[in-house]
Amino acid sequence: SAGRIPPCFLVGDGAHQWALDHGIPTCSPDVMATKFSVAAFKRNKRKLELAEKVETELIHCKKRRQSFEHDNDSGSLDTVGAVVVDHEGNVAAAVSSGGLAMKHPGRVGQAAVYGCGCWAENMGEHNQYSTAVSTSGCGEHLVRTLLARECSVALQAEDAHHALLETMQKKFISSPFLATEDGVLGGVIVLRCCRCSENSLQDAQTLLVEFLWCHTTESMCVGYMSSQDGKAKTHISRLPPGAVAGQSLAIEGGVCRLGAL
């Protein structure tokens, strides 16, 4: 309006007012808090208050982070991500984050930041492959490294498996932006596809689709399915025995073909 550039990212009161102005129904914040999440908040708040009495601020921050990673039983706060492709090769990615226990007021996690929580881009003049990426893990680690976008760019290389592994190692675990972190926690699901001609039918084309996942966390749950499947196949990916979470990688995946276009 009035020649102004429309915003692409709003938070706080500005986002709330924009929703009202555009007729989006709102609800009381109390409706968004379940009994389970309120109880988890109170437990974590007591831990925080106790820690503040006996620790310096630096030691307190490190131990609080470790406590939340290992002791916080708010299982419903897990991130959910998705990557999809249709029969024409169009890709999309999405991510929804349950947030972080005891997060700082006003914090924005990776799910709402372009190129950090997810990224999708169709093949075109400058892209040989269509790519879709969704991330999970410590939001601050994902935001500082633009992990979703970095993985998407890397997947234009010929060997997707090697490209993803190298990106997670060099652009995430060994990122200079995370040099002070004791462990770098995150995971990605990626989908890459391209058109390929069948040998017997030169004009008929199929989609070659690669689905990969990679993570530095101890485990990551993955599910996948096609439109012909009645339900998703699920798998829990784990780090190799003896590997250290935050410092090691696990990578898996597979390849399939979608029918002639």
Side-chain angles (χ1 to χ4, degrees):
S1 60
R4 294 183 300 175
I5 298 175
C8 62
F9 188 19
L10 294 171
V11 299
D13 292 339
H16 184 261
Q17 187 59 49
W18 187 93
L20 293 176
D21 294 342
H22 288 77
I24 299 176
T26 62
C27 63
S28 169
D30 296 337
V31 177
M32 305 299 292
T34 64
K35 292 181 179 180
F36 179 84
S37 62
V38 170
F41 170 80
K42 290 180 178 179
R43 286 195 302 272
N44 288 321
K45 190 171 185 293
R46 286 195 295 268
K47 291 180 184 179
L48 182 61
E49 291 171 345
L50 178 62
E52 286 176 336
K53 294 179 180 178
V54 297
E55 298 174 329
T56 65
E57 183 62 24
L58 179 60
I59 296 175
H60 158 63
C61 287
K62 287 186 176 181
K63 289 193 174 182
R64 181 179 63 181
R65 183 183 64 214
Q66 293 169 354
S67 175
F68 290 153
E69 290 170 358
H70 299 293
D71 299 331
N72 182 15
D73 58 356
S74 303
S76 63
L77 298 182
D78 287 345
T79 299
V80 177
V83 289
V84 297
V85 58
D86 66 15
H87 278 276
E88 295 183 353
N90 298 306
V91 295
V95 63
S96 175
S97 176
L100 182 70
M102 303 304 295
K103 58 182 175 288
H104 191 285
R107 174 189 181 268
V108 176
Q110 85 283 0
V113 183
Y114 284 122
C116 303
C118 63
W119 188 268
E121 194 168 353
N122 281 338
M123 66 184 81
E125 181 180 353
H126 302 292
N127 295 327
Q128 180 182 357
Y129 302 99
S130 294
T131 58
V133 182
S134 188
T135 70
S136 177
C138 177
E140 279 63 32
H141 295 174
L142 302 170
V143 169
R144 293 178 195 168
T145 55
L146 284 170
L147 187 60
R149 171 65 172 156
E150 290 284 4
C151 290
S152 178
V153 172
L155 288 170
Q156 293 301 321
E158 183 176 352
D159 188 334
H161 186 282
H162 176 75
L164 180 60
L165 188 63
E166 186 175 56
T167 299
M168 289 292 289
Q169 181 64 57
K170 293 183 177 180
K171 298 297 181 78
F172 193 55
I173 291 180
S174 302
S175 170
F177 301 108
L178 302 175
T180 60
E181 298 293 333
D182 295 331
V184 180
L185 299 171
V188 298
I189 54 173
V190 307
L191 185 151
R192 186 178 84 164
C193 66
C194 66
R195 296 187 178 92
C196 57
S197 297
E198 297 286 0
N199 293 331
S200 58
L201 298 172
Q202 293 299 322
D203 294 331
Q205 289 188 325
T206 61
L207 281 176
L208 183 65
V209 179
E210 297 173 83
F211 178 53
L212 303 171
W213 54 90
C214 185
H215 57 96
T216 67
T217 52
E218 292 183 3
S219 63
M220 188 170 77
C221 185
V222 178
Y224 51 93
M225 67 183 298
S226 74
S227 56
Q228 282 77 43
D229 294 330
K231 64 178 182 179
K233 299 177 178 65
T234 59
H235 171 68
I236 297 180
S237 177
R238 301 185 187 278
L239 288 178
V244 179
Q247 302 175 15
S248 306
L249 288 167
I251 182 169
E252 299 180 68
V255 181
C256 68
R257 289 178 181 268
L258 297 185
L261 302 176

